[in-house]
Amino acid sequence: MRRTGTRLGRGLGALIATAAAAVGLAATPAAAAPAAPASGQTVQPGQTCTAADLGTRRPIIKSTEVSPVITHFKGWYVTDGSTGSQSVDTSVQDTISVSVGVNGNIQGNFQVEALGMVGGMLGLNVQVNYTHTSTTNKSISWDFRKPGYYGLYEGTKKVTGTYGSLNCNRSDAGGLKWVEGPDTGSYTTYTTLEEGAVRCEDKVPATSIMAKAQGLLDCGSPAAVAKHPAGPVPSAKADQAKHDADNAATAAKAVQNMKATQAAKPVTQAALNCQPAVYRIGVPGKPLNWSAPLLANDGIRLRESNFFSAHLDNWRLCNVTERNGVIEAALWNWGNGGCATIPANIANQEQAYLTTANCGEDDLQRFYIYRDVPGSTKIGLQNKYTGSMMGHDRYADGELIRQYSSGRQDGTGTYTLTAV
């Protein structure tokens, strides 16, 4: 039998593996395990940071799990008279989509960096852009050199796990340090697609893609051992695995639809417990501050505070909690009575704008606040639901405040929280 070859999926981005010593991890059993520090980790917990980093965020991989998955499959019987090159139409078995947290589009730097770290840690070529395996049947060409019962397949290694984020915040020991922030999430990606053929009697590595395909063959059934005409052979095991994959995909889609429906509904009005202090959220050393919109379809913009601001630039911290030195709060605007939020319909988009809405029980209206050393008013703000940091593209009157998955690396995501 010809040795299985590999190929890159069309249009799929791949990360060049950098940790040759970690290649052995790819053959470990498919079990979640704490992740070792990534070779590509740009910062480490406990390292010093500066006030300009308050509005930035870096990923940290907490766990990884690698398991072989068959995306296309067909049982095929080859007789003495039908050896040689053939093209076999295989059916979709399972579909894998790349995702990081709430973002299925992998638009931001944080998602790409997180997936890149996963690939570097495992020594695998993983997809670092949004894509999914084929959802249509496909033809696989193979040179059959021996008669027998074969499984024709396309497969990959599914890589899943959890991540956290490193944020800059004041340290109890003094100064600013990179600390593990409160937000966490899960990721899914996959490796290079592999096509091949395997027989019941072939000896293959237990955790390989080929072994996964071999497991879909009904090797003990009469069809596999009795004389059979050349061509397709039904596989009850493959049919059951396909049924299970479809059920899992349907359940996952139902959960996503439910979340989308819930997000579109008006949130329950929150009974706010606001601190008495009133603040402006501004650009350090400059006159422009966050100003809430007067119109419902507008966003929070940078404006110069003056007599006509009508308290739209005045904010209070409400329903405040603190954990490990990180404040969590809703931002209530004195001028329009709304709370800062990312619109639910664009919350998964990089550079979605910040606006205000009726205050409610909603993580889109909750923000983590990272602070400079005592005595300084500099802060960074992170949305609890999306994990993204707040910032702006350029310093200009009327510029929208937006979310950036990794924050603004030029320091424009660092603001001041100044009492009025």
Side-chain angles (χ1 to χ4, degrees):
M1 190 180 76
R2 192 184 71 179
R3 191 175 70 176
T4 300
T6 61
R7 66 175 178 79
L8 288 178
R10 294 184 181 90
L12 305 182
L15 176 74
I16 301 299
T18 56
V23 171
L25 291 174
T28 57
S39 58
Q41 185 77 47
T42 54
V43 296
Q44 299 290 342
Q47 287 183 340
T48 59
C49 52
T50 69
D53 295 316
L54 290 169
T56 62
R57 171 193 186 211
R58 290 288 182 269
I60 182 171
I61 305 304
K62 301 170 73 70
S63 68
T64 59
E65 181 178 349
V66 181
S67 57
V69 174
I70 302 303
T71 61
H72 293 77
F73 182 84
K74 175 70 75 175
W76 198 258
Y77 198 81
V78 178
T79 64
D80 286 323
S82 64
T83 56
S85 181
Q86 296 186 46
S87 292
V88 178
D89 289 331
T90 61
S91 301
V92 176
Q93 190 76 21
D94 202 351
T95 303
I96 303 168
S97 297
V98 177
S99 64
V100 179
V102 299
N103 196 330
N105 296 321
I106 317 300
Q107 298 175 332
N109 293 335
F110 181 89
Q111 291 85 15
V112 173
E113 187 178 356
L115 294 177
M117 286 182 181
V118 171
M121 290 168 61
L122 298 177
L124 296 175
N125 295 341
V126 302
Q127 308 305 319
V128 297
N129 298 305
Y130 173 72
T131 187
H132 58 77
T133 58
S134 176
T135 57
T136 60
N137 297 343
K138 64 173 300 179
S139 178
I140 294 178
S141 297
W142 202 257
D143 184 11
F144 297 98
R145 299 184 179 181
K146 295 180 181 180
Y149 179 31
Y150 287 83
L152 271 291
Y153 68 88
E154 180 179 78
T156 184
K157 290 179 179 177
K158 183 178 181 181
V159 184
T160 58
T162 57
Y163 67 86
S165 69
L166 295 177
N167 296 80
C168 185
N169 195 39
R170 65 172 60 171
S171 168
D172 291 340
L176 292 172
K177 305 287 185 183
W178 288 104
V179 299
E180 192 168 335
D183 72 297
T184 60
S186 60
Y187 63 85
T188 299
T189 186
Y190 60 95
T191 64
T192 303
L193 295 170
E194 174 183 303
E195 293 178 354
V198 62
R199 300 181 303 165
C200 291
E201 58 268 36
D202 290 335
K203 302 298 182 184
V204 296
T207 59
S208 65
I209 298 171
M210 189 178 290
K212 185 74 173 182
Q214 191 179 57
L216 299 181
L217 289 170
D218 294 326
C219 292
S221 68
V225 296
K227 187 171 178 61
H228 191 283
V233 182
S235 171
K237 289 182 179 179
D239 291 343
Q240 183 61 48
K242 166 67 172 169
H243 178 71
D244 294 342
D246 287 345
N247 285 346
T250 300
K253 187 174 182 179
V255 170
Q256 289 298 322
N257 289 339
M258 181 181 67
K259 288 182 177 180
T261 301
Q262 291 174 340
K265 292 179 180 178
V267 295
T268 304
Q269 184 68 27
L272 294 178
N273 178 19
C274 297
Q275 295 181 347
V278 179
Y279 298 95
R280 287 198 180 106
I281 304 172
V283 179
K286 297 182 179 181
L288 298 184
N289 301 291
W290 286 20
S291 182
L294 282 173
L295 303 176
N297 61 349
D298 197 6
I300 296 172
R301 298 177 181 271
L302 290 177
R303 299 288 190 194
E304 186 169 358
S305 297
N306 53 44
F307 179 78
F308 301 101
S309 297
H311 295 303
L312 291 172
D313 58 353
N314 288 174
W315 302 85
R316 280 181 172 167
L317 304 185
C318 304
N319 297 347
V320 179
T321 61
E322 184 171 348
R323 185 177 62 140
N324 296 330
V326 179
I327 291 175
E328 180 187 326
L331 305 177
W332 177 82
N333 186 263
W334 188 357
N336 69 11
C339 284
T341 187
I342 301 293
N345 63 323
I346 58 172
N348 67 335
Q349 296 180 15
E350 183 79 353
Q351 297 190 38
Y353 65 89
L354 190 64
T355 187
T356 56
N358 291 335
C359 299
E361 298 292 344
D362 191 339
D363 282 347
L364 282 168
Q365 297 185 6
R366 302 289 292 173
F367 293 84
Y368 299 124
I369 300 175
Y370 301 94
R371 295 170 292 173
D372 198 0
V373 295
S376 169
T377 60
K378 292 181 179 179
I379 60 167
L381 297 106
Q382 178 183 28
N383 187 266
K384 181 177 182 178
Y385 181 75
T386 67
S388 294
M389 309 299 296
M390 300 302 107
H392 53 273
D393 272 340
R394 75 183 197 276
Y395 179 76
D397 185 62
E399 185 70 15
L400 282 167
I401 304 300
R402 302 179 183 273
Q403 67 171 2
Y404 301 85
S405 58
S406 288
R408 298 291 292 171
Q409 304 308 307
D410 58 2
T412 52
T414 295
Y415 295 100
T416 55
L417 188 68
T418 308
V420 177

